Amino acid sequence: MDVKNEVLYRVYFLLFGLVIPVAVLLVYRSITIGIVEGEEWRNRALLENVIKERTIEAERGNILAEDGSLLATSVPIFDLYFDPYAPSDEDFLANVDSLAVSMARYVDNSYTVGGYRKYLMELRDTAINRSRHVLIKRKVSYNEKRFIQQFPLFNLGQFRGGFIPEKRSERVRPFGLLARRTIGWVLDGATPIGLESSFDEELGGEPGKVMMINVDRRRDLWKPMDDLTAVEPQIGDDVVTTLNINIQDIAEEALLRGMQKHDAQWGTAIVMEVKTGAIRAIANIGRNNGSWLEDYNYGIGKSTEPGSTFKLASMMAMLEDGFVKLTDSVDIENGQTQFYDVTMDDSSPISYRLDSISAYDAFIMSSNVGMAKLVNKHYGEKTSANNKLGAEAFINRMKQFNLHLPTGIEIEGEGKPLIKEAYSTEDYWSGITLPWMAIGYETRLTPLQMLSFYNAVANNGRLMKPYLVQEIRRFGEPVEHFRPTVAKKKIAEPETISTVRKLLEGVIEEDRGTGHDLRTDRYRFAGKTGTAQVDYERGSRGTRVGGHQASFAGYFPAEDPQYSCIVVINKPRQGGIYGGDVAGPVFREIADQCFYSLMELHRPMNAGPKPVYTTATLPSGDIGRATDFHRILDQLDIQFYGDPATELGVLSAKSDSLMLYRRTILDDQVPNVVGLGLRDALYVLENRKLKVEFNGVGKVVKQSILPGTALRGQTIWLALE
Amino acid sequence: MSNIAARIYAELKGDKAIWSVMVLLGIFSILAVYSATGSLAYQQDGNTEFYLFKHSGLLAVGFLLAYLGHLIHYMKYNRWAPVLLALSIPLLMITIFYGAEINDARRWIKIPYTSLTFQTSDLAKLALILYVARSLTSKQDYIKDFNSAFLPIIMPVLIICCLIAPSDLSTAIMLFLTCVFMMFVGRVSLQYIGLLLFLGVVSFALLYALGGFYPDLIRSTTWVNRFREFMDGPDQIYQVIQAKMAIANGEWFGMGPGNSIQRNFLPMSSSDFIYAIIVEEYGIIGGAFLIFLYVFLFFRVTRMVTKSPKAFGAMVAMGLSILLVTQAFLNIAVAVNLVPVTGLTLPMISQGGTSIIFTCIAFGIILSVSKYIDASTG
């Protein structure tokens, strides 16, 4: 065998005898494992190699006020955990001392540094602790988490340092309890309510999905699988409401004061924009074990017998049918009459002295007997005048005013209105139904439904659908805009509307009007009081009454209505029961504040002839920023002297002009802030590193630390009045 | 584009088929390493791209070295062989005593003033194969003689393998086998080859006995453990189970690029068990194609040997391709659970700096040989 052939022979042996057979063997083994035994291995993999699908919660959208203020938003919060067995001995021992210092100083004051060190050492002692998921602190903000993450050991990261931040998101309402029920919530274990619930789909966004893999079973460590099946979560849309923060605030404050003053059961106040039907405020307060809180959306959900505010509908029906003129007279029989065997009384004692009054007076004085007799006279019998329809003609008018339909407000749980069908046994129609309907009984409406009706009157007969949401935004860009919706173009003839508007103004303007006490010189408003009996039993000797529901519905300014408003206060227990006394003042307070804040509603203060100032009409002793005083006094064109170099100034009235004196505040002492407004007081005190707590509204009348005390970053408490 | 491709094509000398094998292996490598490191990268800052860039950069350097290597005439390597061999011995000894420990084995030395580590056995492998090829060709006329031919060839083989074995038995065995195959091709008598195998076993026994005295230097307990694990039943070994699951997941056509699940569970998925990941993503079809690439490489080298059987070049190319194929097959054999877990990388595919660089240099040398053999024989 020659050399060449021997080499070739051996090479070919290698190739065909070794390399190719081994290659075939390897492929064969692959097939054995992958195909023949494949099923078994795949099943085992599914069983042992745990993969789970995790939904990634989408960030929930915000709920905004009309001006963009945040009413509800989601903020990330973290629960911090520590895996004491993650760090190596070397890392742990090198950092345990400084970590203990940081933890004891910044995170858990209940430990001394030594105590925390001992605690950390114990966490790593398997005899004492085996958990790899030890809670450090719950509900930590993003910034705080970042701060704690910088601590020694923790700054080595999750794997080397054992620091485990777990993110979740929490719903917060920056304005606290403001419009709580209307904004609502979507929580585990609670019935979802309000806008959060109604717009849950928009706010919720699209949750993402990702497959998680158990990387380290001992540590329960999961990591997302970066494959093509992952779905990114889609952030929720923002919901822009029609609510106005200021009006809402005013409505809640005013309602609460009214409720407290009269110790009532529940109350609601709603403010609606006349032209659009946009709800600018909706306040709800219920009494609950001695505290007052927004426990139910009474304004939208609670339908009750409305009482005298309903007389507007009765009067409008008769006017539409041409049955009455305001000058027609009606015998009110000294405020008491009988319908069948049931007695009806006027609630106002003035009626006891009167027998015949005009229809106009029957309305503004809110005479039950007067209104009931008028309605009964025209609709009680089937006459040729009412086309032989009798009460049905009256009911048809109620339907013309849309009073039988819910408003269709966006949030769930709107109470259903009840307007009985004429002569319907199903609706328990009886002989006394019609007269009592005329004065607001035998009928149920929610405060919002009643307000919509008044709003239509203010809006010259055009019925607007009330709405709470004006826009849906995605990434700040509007994706859906809700325009004002006309529910009915014309609920009544223009003559009828202008007549009842005169009546509603009369309620306030006339001395006899039930709302006369609410009158103000600054602007004109119109409305109707209501004092309904609740939990009553009617009989021939009168009515046994379980309580009252005071209400006031109206609009302002009377000549060019901008806002309509209804206030309902249920079961006042002290300080009166009448709508004019209980609900009226709350309405006035809301109307006043709206009126002041509506620039377009009043003339500039420095227009017109300059008033004559006296010491009595000028402010004296007020303290504030000197430059602010300059601006205000210049604007109002009030003469003043003095230009103090200090930041603060004190006003002092001198006959028809003002003096502005200096007010020095030292940098190293607690200053005297009595007489300052809250804003100025906060500015002065917090600049000196004091922590401020306060109570009340107005100007500072008391401070807890004496002026001149050395500054040490104390907490100072202020009382304002 | 086609212009650039044509330029590159014109620039490359040597067997285009071997170039193609190299490029295909490189592509496999990038895809597989990127996918397999997903889990590893996530644990370190979550930067998945880091390993991809690092690996691609390494491959680029490797290809450049292969290109430069194939420009050099292979006879130059003949002259460098003794020098390289002389250099390897002290380097291996330094590694044994002062090497850097990575994954529990002392196989690397730190290159001074850098953070790079360097696996000395990779250099030694190359040096030894060059040396054996040189000796076999120069002593071809009296190759059947014991004293003048056999002894001078086997001494360095035994020395180098015994120096590698303490920390890396599998590489030593693989290198030893490679040399045996080379001698087989180089017409060494079969009885001497039998003697050499016997010597190998004796050396192993001696090392094993020494391991009892120097457990820090010689990982004899690991050898026993690995072997016992394997004999006890491979289905108890976590990595093997995970590798089998990966292969089973792949079935015929694979789960698709980047969709490996098992990379998250399979330790060392980017080096020792990368074949399992390749099968998981590209199926048994993909795995078989990979095996075919190595066989094809060996086939092309066989063709060179048939053209000039006595040349040093042919012998070097043969040796290097035997080394690559042996290593590849051993690696795959581990993944399909035919042999105990070894720690051998899959040449050109697995992640690992020195491994890729030396594999590329080996390719460069093979290509250099193919260039001149093609030229001389037409």
Side-chain angles (χ1 to χ4, degrees):
Chain A
M1 198 187 291
D2 72 1
V3 174
K4 186 178 174 181
N5 279 342
E6 191 183 353
V7 171
L8 290 183
Y9 176 77
R10 291 186 177 203
V11 167
Y12 286 138
F13 177 79
L14 266 192
L15 178 63
F16 295 108
L18 222 54
V19 173
I20 289 177
V22 170
V24 169
L25 178 65
L26 293 176
V27 174
Y28 168 76
R29 273 296 289 182
S30 306
I31 293 170
T32 310
I33 296 168
I35 309 297
V36 181
E37 304 170 0
E39 193 71 35
E40 177 193 331
W41 290 112
R42 280 190 292 277
N43 287 339
R44 202 170 153 189
L46 281 180
L47 210 66
E48 290 175 19
N49 293 353
V50 190
I51 298 171
K52 65 179 179 189
E53 189 182 88
R54 207 189 72 179
T55 35
I56 309 168
E57 288 299 318
E59 200 180 309
R60 197 171 170 81
N62 301 319
I63 297 181
L64 308 171
E66 167 209 28
D67 64 345
S69 316
L70 282 174
L71 293 174
T73 187
S74 291
V75 292
I77 52 163
F78 297 84
D79 292 334
L80 305 182
Y81 292 91
F82 174 52
D83 175 358
Y85 295 105
S88 64
D89 284 340
E90 206 174 289
D91 285 340
F92 185 80
L93 292 173
N95 290 300
V96 64
D97 292 347
S98 35
L99 177 63
V101 172
S102 302
M103 291 298 288
R105 185 176 299 165
Y106 299 111
V107 178
D108 195 342
N109 286 323
S110 64
Y111 277 102
T112 59
V113 172
Y116 211 98
R117 187 184 185 283
K118 182 163 171 265
Y119 171 65
L120 286 171
M121 294 303 284
E122 283 173 357
L123 284 182
R124 259 176 90 91
D125 186 341
T126 45
I128 299 170
N129 167 53
R130 282 176 184 278
S131 170
R132 309 197 61 149
H133 205 70
V134 180
L135 181 70
I136 303 173
K137 194 170 184 188
R138 218 182 269 285
K139 279 197 172 193
V140 167
S141 73
Y142 177 72
N143 282 333
E144 204 178 344
K145 178 214 132 197
R146 290 240 318 207
F147 175 65
I148 294 173
Q149 207 160 20
Q150 299 305 311
F151 286 1
L153 195 64
F154 291 170
N155 57 16
L156 299 177
Q158 180 168 354
F159 295 97
R160 276 186 66 198
F163 181 71
I164 310 168
E166 287 183 2
K167 186 184 165 185
R168 55 203 173 93
S169 84
E170 192 182 50
R171 203 69 174 157
V172 295
R173 296 189 195 87
F175 288 94
L177 296 178
L178 208 66
R180 178 168 169 263
R181 296 292 294 204
T182 302
I183 295 167
W185 53 70
V186 176
L187 288 173
D188 291 337
T191 313
I193 59 161
L195 292 168
E196 293 270 23
S197 164
S198 301
F199 289 84
D200 194 30
E201 208 169 296
E202 287 83 353
L203 289 165
E206 286 290 329
K209 259 193 304 193
V210 72
M211 298 299 287
M212 299 293 288
I213 253 177
N214 195 185
V215 188
D216 187 335
R217 208 162 308 172
R218 287 160 303 157
R219 281 211 255 166
D220 193 32
L221 206 63
W222 295 79
K223 82 166 193 68
M225 217 164 104
D226 47 343
D227 63 4
L228 308 169
T229 60
V231 181
E232 287 284 310
Q234 192 119 50
I235 186 170
D237 294 342
D238 292 345
V239 169
V240 185
T241 66
T242 55
L243 295 176
N244 178 297
I245 286 289
N246 296 321
I247 301 179
Q248 178 71 34
D249 195 29
I250 291 158
E252 287 191 11
E253 285 279 323
L255 180 64
L256 180 63
R257 266 197 291 278
M259 297 277 298
Q260 286 171 336
K261 184 176 170 197
H262 299 287
D263 192 22
Q265 187 61 34
W266 59 262
T268 183
I270 312 174
V271 180
M272 192 187 284
E273 197 173 73
V274 168
K275 302 268 183 329
T276 60
I279 294 177
R280 293 299 177 215
I282 175 164
N284 294 290
I285 292 170
R287 188 175 56 177
N288 235 310
N289 300 326
S291 67
W292 307 91
L293 56 97
E294 202 170 326
D295 60 348
Y296 185 75
N297 209 327
Y298 297 103
I300 289 170
K302 195 91 179 172
S303 86
T304 59
E305 288 180 313
S308 303
T309 46
F310 196 78
K311 287 172 184 165
L312 176 64
S314 306
M315 187 55 100
M316 271 172 69
M318 294 188 286
L319 289 167
E320 281 285 281
D321 281 324
F323 291 161
V324 291
K325 287 196 283 295
L326 299 186
T327 48
D328 289 355
S329 72
V330 56
D331 181 4
I332 60 166
E333 303 170 38
N334 298 93
Q336 194 178 72
T337 192
Q338 294 277 128
F339 290 97
Y340 294 85
D341 60 338
V342 185
T343 309
M344 180 186 283
D345 297 291
D346 273 9
S347 52
S348 163
I350 303 167
S351 298
Y352 306 158
R353 292 182 273 108
L354 301 169
D355 37 29
S356 200
I357 60 171
S358 67
Y360 178 81
D361 280 358
F363 186 87
I364 65 165
M365 292 164 67
S366 202
S367 164
N368 290 341
V369 176
M371 289 303 295
K373 280 182 75 173
L374 280 171
V375 168
N376 209 41
K377 177 179 157 195
H378 295 293
Y379 300 99
E381 308 285 335
K382 295 182 180 177
T383 63
S384 57
N386 57 38
N387 293 324
K388 305 271 179 211
L389 289 171
E392 199 180 336
F394 183 75
I395 299 298
N396 286 344
R397 290 296 176 192
M398 298 302 112
K399 291 182 177 172
Q400 178 190 323
F401 306 147
N402 261 30
L403 287 170
H404 64 308
L405 296 177
T407 63
I409 185 88
E410 298 100 318
I411 63 179
E412 287 151 42
E414 181 177 5
K416 282 210 169 59
L418 170 71
I419 299 289
K420 291 185 174 180
E421 291 293 338
Y423 312 120
S424 151
T425 44
E426 213 170 291
D427 284 346
Y428 303 101
W429 185 279
S430 75
I432 63 162
T433 299
L434 186 64
W436 257 274
M437 245 188 108
I439 60 168
Y441 294 94
E442 307 257 331
T443 288
R444 300 180 92 79
L445 288 176
T446 64
L448 180 67
Q449 285 151 7
M450 183 60 87
L451 177 63
S452 299
F453 175 56
Y454 274 74
N455 194 76
V457 169
N459 199 22
N460 297 320
R462 183 185 287 245
L463 180 70
M464 302 306 295
K465 179 186 170 188
Y467 67 107
L468 270 165
V469 172
Q470 58 185 36
E471 202 168 88
I472 305 288
R473 282 187 200 160
R474 187 170 301 160
F475 304 117
E477 295 293 320
V479 287
E480 203 177 346
H481 192 82
F482 300 101
R483 305 203 155 278
T485 315
V486 180
K488 197 161 198 173
K489 270 189 189 146
K490 199 174 93 175
I491 60 163
E493 292 302 323
E495 301 80 51
T496 307
I497 298 292
S498 65
T499 306
V500 293
R501 280 176 61 171
K502 257 180 241 139
L503 285 170
L504 292 170
E505 284 167 42
V507 170
I508 314 299
E509 297 297 325
E510 304 283 354
D511 291 345
R512 315 180 289 290
T514 50
H516 185 67
D517 289 348
L518 303 168
R519 197 184 166 283
T520 169
D521 287 334
R522 278 170 289 192
Y523 59 95
R524 276 155 43 81
F525 66 99
K528 178 77 189 76
T529 57
T531 313
Q533 297 162 338
V534 294
D535 304 340
Y536 51 76
E537 259 175 60
R538 298 203 192 289
S540 53
R541 290 197 191 147
T543 304
R544 204 178 57 72
V545 177
H548 291 87
Q549 179 170 302
S551 56
F552 191 97
Y555 52 85
F556 53 90
E559 38 314 330
D560 178 20
Q562 299 295 324
Y563 289 105
S564 60
C565 173
I566 190 168
V567 175
V568 176
I569 291 178
N570 182 269
K571 285 196 183 171
R573 287 178 180 76
Q574 61 187 40
I577 54 163
Y578 294 115
D581 298 339
V582 177
V586 176
F587 178 94
R588 248 301 296 282
E589 210 176 325
I590 295 170
D592 279 1
Q593 296 286 348
C594 289
F595 185 76
Y596 295 147
S597 61
L598 277 174
M599 294 301 277
E600 66 267 28
L601 288 188
H602 40 79
R603 289 174 304 164
M605 284 181 80
N606 55 359
K610 191 176 170 182
V612 178
Y613 298 113
T614 62
T615 319
T617 57
L618 284 171
S620 201
D622 284 22
I623 308 167
R625 241 179 113 194
T627 48
D628 287 351
F629 281 140
H630 276 223
R631 254 181 66 199
I632 295 165
L633 296 175
D634 279 344
Q635 184 75 19
L636 296 176
D637 197 18
I638 297 173
Q639 211 165 17
F640 70 99
Y641 304 97
D643 185 9
T646 53
E647 209 170 357
L648 293 178
V650 191
L651 285 179
S652 170
K654 292 267 182 319
S655 68
D656 63 344
S657 62
L658 283 165
M659 280 299 290
L660 191 53
Y661 292 112
R662 56 165 46 207
R663 173 72 177 265
T664 314
I665 287 189
L666 293 173
D667 277 340
D668 53 349
Q669 301 175 351
V670 173
N672 181 2
V673 292
V674 172
L676 266 69
L678 182 62
R679 198 175 70 152
D680 291 326
L682 282 177
Y683 174 79
V684 167
L685 294 173
E686 289 184 344
N687 265 349
R688 283 160 183 78
K689 302 273 186 282
L690 290 161
K691 292 190 187 70
V692 184
E693 283 171 18
F694 64 93
N695 227 329
V697 285
K699 296 218 159 79
V700 177
V701 290
K702 246 189 238 167
Q703 63 184 77
S704 65
I705 303 175
L706 281 177
T709 312
L711 287 166
R712 272 184 285 99
Q714 304 96 315
T715 300
I716 186 167
W717 180 84
L718 305 178
L720 284 83
E721 261 179 44
Chain B
M1 270 312 287
S2 61
N3 271 349
I4 297 168
R7 268 296 301 278
I8 291 174
Y9 190 79
E11 198 64 44
L12 300 178
K13 312 268 187 316
D15 190 346
K16 299 293 192 296
I18 295 176
W19 273 115
S20 308
V21 168
M22 202 181 156
V23 169
L24 284 170
L25 287 175
I27 291 169
F28 249 118
S29 174
I30 288 178
L31 290 175
V33 168
Y34 176 59
S35 166
T37 50
S39 177
L40 190 64
Y42 183 80
Q43 294 200 15
Q44 296 181 351
D45 305 332
N47 186 357
T48 324
E49 278 72 37
F50 170 76
Y51 286 98
L52 179 68
F53 286 128
K54 191 179 164 191
H55 188 69
S56 306
L58 211 58
L59 273 175
V61 172
F63 269 83
L64 183 69
L65 287 173
Y67 173 74
L68 295 174
H70 99 299
L71 292 180
I72 299 167
H73 195 287
Y74 64 88
M75 284 311 287
K76 291 236 172 76
Y77 299 114
N78 189 355
R79 258 171 275 145
W80 296 341
V83 184
L84 284 176
L85 190 68
L87 194 67
S88 320
I89 292 169
L91 279 178
L92 282 173
M93 294 175 81
I94 289 171
T95 311
I96 288 175
F97 294 103
Y98 308 104
E101 221 166 287
I102 300 178
N103 296 335
D104 278 344
R106 204 178 278 169
R107 298 170 188 172
W108 288 266
I109 52 172
K110 274 214 163 74
I111 300 172
Y113 311 114
T114 69
S115 62
L116 300 174
T117 53
F118 166 78
Q119 194 167 348
T120 40
S121 61
D122 281 321
L123 174 70
K125 281 192 284 196
L126 195 62
L128 185 64
I129 284 165
L130 287 174
Y131 177 81
V132 171
R134 171 195 160 101
S135 308
L136 283 173
T137 40
S138 65
K139 300 176 200 313
Q140 213 26 248
D141 296 337
Y142 44 94
I143 196 72
K144 307 280 182 188
D145 187 71
F146 186 84
N147 285 324
S148 55
F150 183 65
L151 268 186
I153 298 175
I154 66 153
M155 285 320 289
V157 172
L158 287 174
I159 290 169
I160 295 284
C161 288
C162 284
L163 285 175
I164 294 175
S167 67
D168 193 352
L169 183 68
S170 22
T171 298
I173 292 175
M174 178 193 72
L175 188 56
F176 182 74
L177 285 177
T178 304
C179 293
V180 171
F181 290 136
M182 285 178 77
M183 289 185 208
F184 174 72
V185 174
R187 298 197 309 118
V188 174
S189 315
L190 290 178
Q191 69 231 43
Y192 292 163
I193 286 175
L195 178 65
L196 180 58
L197 286 173
F198 174 74
L199 280 174
V201 172
V202 170
S203 309
F204 172 70
L206 278 172
L207 276 176
Y208 179 73
L210 268 175
F213 298 100
Y214 304 102
D216 284 353
L217 298 182
I218 302 170
R219 294 160 29 105
S220 42
T221 41
T222 310
W223 306 341
V224 178
N225 287 342
R226 287 270 171 87
F227 189 70
R228 188 173 290 156
E229 273 174 5
F230 183 73
M231 295 315 283
D232 280 355
D235 290 356
Q236 306 296 316
I237 306 168
Y238 180 73
Q239 290 141 292
V240 174
I241 294 164
Q242 299 301 331
K244 284 186 170 180
M245 287 171 179
I247 292 168
N249 277 344
E251 295 186 71
W252 287 112
F253 301 104
M255 302 179 80
N259 288 341
S260 165
I261 294 172
Q262 285 302 104
R263 63 174 176 209
N264 298 291
F265 300 100
L266 193 48
M268 310 296 288
S269 57
S270 65
S271 52
D272 296 14
F273 285 92
I274 197 148
Y275 175 77
I277 301 296
I278 288 173
V279 173
E280 189 181 19
E281 295 198 347
Y282 303 94
I284 290 169
I285 302 294
F289 180 68
L290 181 68
I291 293 171
F292 166 77
L293 285 179
Y294 289 107
V295 176
F296 184 66
L297 169 71
F298 189 81
F299 171 72
R300 294 301 292 187
V301 174
T302 312
R303 269 189 72 230
M304 287 185 227
V305 179
T306 57
K307 281 179 183 168
S308 61
K310 278 196 281 185
F312 163 76
M315 192 53 75
V316 158
M318 191 78 242
L320 290 173
S321 65
I322 288 171
L323 178 77
L324 293 180
V325 172
T326 311
Q327 186 173 337
F329 284 5
L330 271 173
N331 172 284
I332 294 170
V334 170
V336 298
N337 193 33
L338 278 171
V339 296
V341 177
T342 58
L344 284 176
T345 55
L346 189 55
M348 273 307 284
I349 304 281
S350 296
Q351 203 194 4
T354 22
S355 164
I356 284 181
I357 295 297
F358 279 96
T359 308
C360 286
I361 291 172
F363 265 101
I365 296 170
I366 294 172
L367 286 163
S368 163
V369 174
S370 77
K371 185 175 68 178
Y372 291 102
I373 285 183
D374 275 1
S376 60
T377 58

